[in-house]
Amino acid sequence: MLVSNWNNCPRVEAAMRSFRSQEEARDILGQTDRCIPRGLGRSYGDCSLGENIISTPGFRRFIHLDPAKGILECEAGTSLDQILSVIIPHGWFLPVTPGTSRVTLGGAIASDVHGKNHHLHGALGRHVLDLRLLTPQGHVLVCSKNENPAIFQAVCGGMGLLGLILSARISLMPLESVFIRQKTIPAYDLDELMSFFDSHHQSTYTVAWMDCLQRGRHLGRGLFMHGEHCRSHEAPQSQLIPPGCKGISIPFTLPFRALTPAGIKAFNSLYFHRKSRRTGYEISSIESFFYPLDALANWNLLYGKKGFLQYQFVLPRSTSRSGLQKILQHINSFGQPPYLAVLKLLGKGQGPLSFAQPGYTLALDFPIRPGVFSLLNALDRVVQKLGGRIYLAKDARMKKHMLWEGYPRAKEFVELKKRLDPENKLSSLQSRRLGLCQNPY
């Protein structure tokens, strides 16, 4: 069957097998020479693609919820929206959540996902108490900060290359309401936008939308948003009802020219000025604050049949300001506007392949059209020169040297993989492209 991840690039022929028990998972691993785990396919690129795919969403039972301590244990194929439907009525929330709830817990751990609160609370791996890992040799290891700690750290962000995550226990965040008290502040250039991250460093959630088509004195114009969970007395309703919106569906792939640079420029201007007029705090639902794109069920089709590339990088804090200026100038000079640009502030990472490092991360969505790969190669050179790195969960085209220069602990990861997976059974198109296997294909 033809398989692709969320950005529809690349598409590959693959044999996909699923499992519903640990024994079935062990049998599949034993019968397959080369394979890679895959959750709901919401990564952007080829990190979970290969000739043989082990699909995990069928392995999704809840094992235990301690409603007094806020500790949840469930199988790795459970999606975050399924988890939210169970934990919210008990007054708990995910300690870290990405921009969609349509990912599996195992996939989120393997990507060590981050959210709008990384500058304070780190990535998801920090909140995993322990996990059970089925190794390529068929052994089940319990991994935590105290038990097999090196493996535990490497699995968080390890892109499924060290073993199949079977289940995990995570520590949850207490919740009094299903609403967020948020404020949007317009910033008229990059310096002002970044200054808001500094002045609101103690806000739990911070994020910015950026208009990448601005030039000159308005280069880096954007909207800064910060938010906190509403206390019970602040919320419009007291009931803890989990998100239930299924979203609107795009019925078909849009034509290539449906979204033009001129259209994006007009939309950006309208969006900026409309949001800028709003002053004071607003009360938002959890869905609209954390998962706005989930309301459009298959928004990836908006990018056309060729799909798109999400380019997400992080720069060290010391080089972020100059680096972001250069990135925006390159985008303007190439005439390749991204459809979406989201800026966040990150803290420290923990695993050898964890994406985070203290600094700013910018995620850019580019439709695949002539010239976009030349632009991304130019952006690579800026990121590389300034000591940054590219997020593996969003990568479909990075060259090997970018990985090895951007992730200085990658060698440590490969040495661990040699020990856990001597036959190199777990490999993806990405791992072979980047040399993360001891015997690159």
Side-chain angles (χ1 to χ4, degrees):
M1 65 185 298
L2 199 59
V3 182
S4 64
N5 285 327
W6 188 245
N7 63 324
N8 290 320
C9 176
R11 299 182 179 94
V12 300
E13 283 291 339
M16 189 177 297
R17 300 179 65 181
S18 59
F19 61 98
R20 295 188 180 277
S21 70
Q22 178 179 309
E23 291 71 28
E24 286 182 9
R26 183 182 281 118
D27 288 344
I28 293 173
L29 273 176
Q31 296 164 6
T32 310
D33 291 333
R34 181 182 292 154
C35 56
I36 190 70
R38 181 175 183 265
L40 288 168
R42 296 300 290 258
S43 58
Y44 298 66
D46 55 359
C47 61
S48 61
L49 297 180
E51 302 91 333
N52 298 293
I53 292 172
I54 303 179
S55 178
T56 66
F59 195 61
R60 56 171 185 262
R61 286 172 296 187
F62 286 86
I63 299 172
H64 182 67
L65 171 64
D66 184 334
K69 296 181 179 177
I71 295 175
L72 172 73
E73 183 176 14
C74 61
E75 292 175 340
T78 313
S79 66
L80 298 191
D81 58 355
Q82 290 167 335
I83 290 175
L84 291 171
S85 71
V86 170
I87 64 175
I88 285 180
H90 290 280
W92 297 99
F93 190 64
L94 294 166
V96 169
T97 182
T100 174
S101 62
R102 314 278 167 78
V103 299
T104 64
L105 178 61
I109 295 172
S111 301
D112 202 16
V113 296
H114 58 271
K116 299 177 178 69
N117 58 349
H118 191 279
H119 59 292
L120 294 180
H121 296 164
L124 181 60
R126 185 193 290 187
H127 307 274
V128 176
L129 300 175
D130 53 50
L131 57 85
R132 294 171 61 250
L133 184 75
L134 178 63
T135 71
Q137 295 180 303
H139 306 300
V140 175
L141 299 179
V142 176
C143 304
S144 69
K145 293 171 185 172
N146 299 315
E147 190 168 3
N148 297 309
I151 298 175
F152 176 70
Q153 282 205 354
V155 167
C156 297
M159 312 311 295
L161 295 171
L162 298 181
L164 182 62
I165 300 172
L166 293 173
S167 63
R169 283 196 315 139
I170 59 174
S171 179
L172 304 172
M173 170 189 288
L175 186 76
E176 292 189 23
S177 80
V178 290
F179 294 94
I180 299 291
R181 178 168 42 85
Q182 74 164 84
K183 188 171 184 179
T184 301
I185 309 172
Y188 292 88
D189 59 33
L190 181 61
D191 284 344
E192 188 176 23
L193 189 63
M194 296 179 75
S195 72
F196 288 143
F197 281 95
D198 292 332
S199 58
H200 292 81
H201 184 76
Q202 292 306 314
S203 295
T204 302
Y205 300 108
T206 58
V207 66
W209 167 85
M210 187 183 286
D211 179 0
C212 291
L213 292 181
Q214 293 299 309
R215 298 168 182 256
R217 64 191 178 92
H218 290 312
L219 185 76
R221 184 178 76 171
L223 297 165
F224 175 81
M225 288 156 272
H226 64 99
E228 305 287 341
H229 288 278
C230 284
R231 304 294 302 270
S232 56
H233 67 275
E234 299 173 308
Q237 67 179 44
S238 58
Q239 290 178 299
L240 294 174
I241 301 173
C245 178
K246 298 298 182 186
I248 302 169
S249 252
I250 302 294
F252 48 80
T253 303
L254 287 190
F256 176 68
R257 297 185 182 278
L259 296 175
T260 63
I264 298 169
K265 189 173 184 178
F267 171 82
N268 284 357
S269 181
L270 180 66
Y271 184 70
F272 178 81
H273 290 293
R274 183 178 179 185
K275 286 282 188 181
S276 297
R277 287 196 294 269
R278 297 183 181 178
T279 59
Y281 285 91
E282 299 175 86
I283 303 297
S284 302
S285 66
I286 279 179
E287 300 102 299
S288 63
F289 186 78
F290 291 107
Y291 315 116
L293 289 176
D294 283 354
L296 204 56
N298 41 6
W299 59 264
N300 54 337
L301 299 184
L302 292 171
Y303 287 87
K305 291 182 178 178
K306 292 183 178 179
F308 67 103
L309 297 169
Q310 185 169 100
Y311 188 80
Q312 183 170 4
F313 61 92
V314 60
L315 294 173
R317 195 150 185 168
S318 60
T319 62
S320 286
R321 193 175 301 269
S322 62
L324 288 170
Q325 285 178 340
K326 290 177 182 174
I327 292 286
L328 294 173
Q329 288 164 354
H330 274 301
I331 289 171
N332 276 313
S333 66
F334 275 76
Q336 294 276 352
Y339 286 8
L340 186 66
V342 177
L343 184 69
K344 291 195 287 266
L345 181 62
L346 300 183
K348 290 182 180 177
Q350 61 175 15
L353 290 188
S354 289
F355 170 64
Q357 63 175 346
Y360 284 87
T361 178
L362 182 62
L364 303 161
D365 284 2
F366 293 100
I368 294 179
R369 55 173 89 220
V372 71
F373 286 94
S374 297
L375 167 63
L376 298 185
N377 289 338
L379 302 189
D380 281 351
R381 289 190 284 275
V382 176
V383 172
Q384 179 188 9
K385 185 176 180 180
L386 297 179
R389 63 177 61 148
I390 294 172
Y391 192 11
L392 291 173
K394 308 289 181 69
D395 166 56
R397 34 69 60 193
M398 172 171 47
K399 291 183 172 59
K400 188 184 296 186
H401 70 90
M402 284 292 294
L403 180 282
W404 291 92
E405 292 184 26
Y407 289 82
R409 295 175 63 194
K411 185 177 179 182
E412 173 188 336
F413 181 87
V414 171
E415 291 301 316
L416 189 59
K417 181 168 173 57
K418 285 180 182 177
R419 182 158 62 85
L420 287 173
D421 188 13
E423 297 177 355
N424 196 27
K425 181 168 287 190
L426 291 173
S427 69
S428 63
L429 297 181
Q430 181 188 62
S431 71
R432 285 171 244 161
R433 172 167 50 84
L434 298 178
L436 284 170
C437 305
Q438 64 269 45
N439 298 307
Y441 179 68

